[in-house]
Amino acid sequence: MKVLMVCLGNICRSPLAEGILKSKVDATKIYVDSAGTGGYHIGNAPDPRSIKVAHEHGLDISAQVCRKFTVSDFDSFDLIFAMDKSNYTNIIGLARNNGDVEKVKLILNEISSSDKEVPDPYYDAEDGFEHVFQMIDQACDSIAARLQRK
Ligand code: 4NP
C-alpha cells in the first residue's frame, strides 16, 4: 500500500502529513510520501515552522525533500490525500481516467464528511502550524487504523 500526501508547496502541510502518518504505520507494509502541486520549492527541506512543530511532537521531518506531483504518481500510489480543495482540483486536473480520480481524497473527509480543508499556514503565525498539526494528526489516526486493518 502506497499513500501520497499532497499540498501546494510541499513544504508546510504535506511534509507534516507524511511524517505523522509514517509515525503511525508499519513502514514494511505502508509506504508514505508527499508532493506539491506547485513547483516553487523543489529540492528544499520543509518550512522551519513545520520542522519545529513536528519536533515538538517528537517527529523529525527535517530530511524530507520537496518535490512536485507528477502524473506518474497516479501509477505509483494507491491513495492520494489532498490537504485542501484547491490541491484536490489541481490533482484531479491531471487525472487520465476514473481510476486516477478515485484515488484522490480530501484528507479531512477521513474524519468528517463535509469537505473541510487543512488551511494553508504559510502566511500564518506559528500557532497556525500547531492547529494544522492537530487536524492532520486526527485524520492520520483514522487513516492508519483503516490501513492496518487491511
Ligand atoms: P503548503 O504551504 O502548500 O502547505 O506547503 C505553502 C507553501 C509555500 C507556498 C504556498 C503554500 N508558496 O506559495 O510558496
Side-chain angles (χ1 to χ4, degrees), residues 52-79:
K52 181 165 178 263
V53 76
H55 185 73
E56 286 164 1
H57 290 273
L59 303 177
D60 181 4
I61 64 165
S62 63
Q64 290 185 31
V65 179
C66 173
R67 73 169 179 90
K68 193 171 179 189
F69 180 85
T70 67
V71 173
S72 65
D73 286 319
F74 287 116
D75 300 320
S76 307
F77 291 89
D78 304 293
L79 275 171

Side-chain angles (χ1 to χ4, degrees), residues 7-15 40-41 47 83 87 119-123:
C7 62
L8 174 59
N10 190 213
I11 56 166
C12 296
R13 292 165 292 176
S14 59
Y40 323 111
H41 302 279
D47 187 286
M83 299 298 125
N87 310 146
D120 184 348
Y122 189 59
Y123 298 102

